[in-house]
Amino acid sequence: MRESDKRALMGGIYIFTFSSEWKANAFLKKYRECPNWPIIEKGKEPNQLRVVAIESVYQQHGNFSNEENTLVENPELIGAESVSFVRDDRLVFLFDANPYESDKQESPPCGSNCENCPIFGNPCRGCPSVYK
């Protein structure tokens, strides 16, 4: 990936805390192919996941700032009890490929139905592996 392409991306690390280990494992299984989250792994506790997130600077599915991060303020959107986040755009430079350059798919790799989501279009524009 070219340097200029990497400048169109931003990075961060989430810690998702679920009510149970089972819910954390189910989330991990469902989202392991997510283009926004190239690394999802178990956290320190059995009900936690650590997630490296790569987002387009121009993304439209929520706030990616430290101060008003959409998932931190609304952990229920992903079925979590709590979410913490630290933005660090230097993480982008650890990856060779841009997750948004993959071929468009017919449906989200996680199996979600974006059109039925309450935030689709307000502000979310759906999974970047499906929708431009």
Side-chain angles (χ1 to χ4, degrees):
M1 179 171 33
R2 295 182 319 226
E3 189 82 18
S4 60
D5 293 337
K6 289 187 178 189
R7 294 186 197 287
L9 299 173
M10 51 193 173
I13 297 175
Y14 285 104
I15 296 178
F16 297 159
T17 303
F18 296 88
S19 61
S20 69
E21 181 178 5
W22 181 88
K23 286 187 177 185
N25 289 337
F27 185 93
L28 177 63
K29 183 177 178 184
K30 181 175 182 177
Y31 287 96
R32 69 177 170 241
E33 300 297 326
C34 179
N36 283 349
W37 299 331
I39 299 174
I40 304 177
E41 64 181 17
K42 299 273 189 170
K44 287 174 35 178
E45 302 295 328
N47 64 327
Q48 288 183 337
L49 296 175
R50 291 184 293 230
V51 178
V52 173
I54 304 296
E55 295 272 349
S56 166
V57 169
Y58 306 106
Q59 58 94 11
Q60 297 291 322
H61 51 274
N63 189 319
F64 200 68
S65 69
N66 279 327
E67 298 78 22
E68 298 177 16
N69 186 282
T70 299
L71 294 181
V72 171
E73 293 186 358
N74 303 284
E76 69 280 359
L77 292 174
I78 58 166
E81 286 191 327
S82 67
V83 173
S84 58
F85 176 75
V86 173
R87 182 166 169 184
D88 186 343
D89 293 345
R90 295 173 298 177
L91 293 169
V92 170
F93 294 91
L94 297 176
F95 296 92
D96 292 330
N98 181 336
Y100 298 97
E101 291 174 346
S102 63
D103 292 335
K104 294 294 180 193
Q105 299 183 27
E106 294 293 318
S107 61
C110 65
S112 295
N113 184 340
C114 290
E115 284 88 4
N116 289 341
C117 179
I119 63 169
F120 183 65
N122 187 23
C124 181
R125 294 195 180 177
C127 175
S129 69
V130 179
Y131 305 99
K132 291 188 177 184

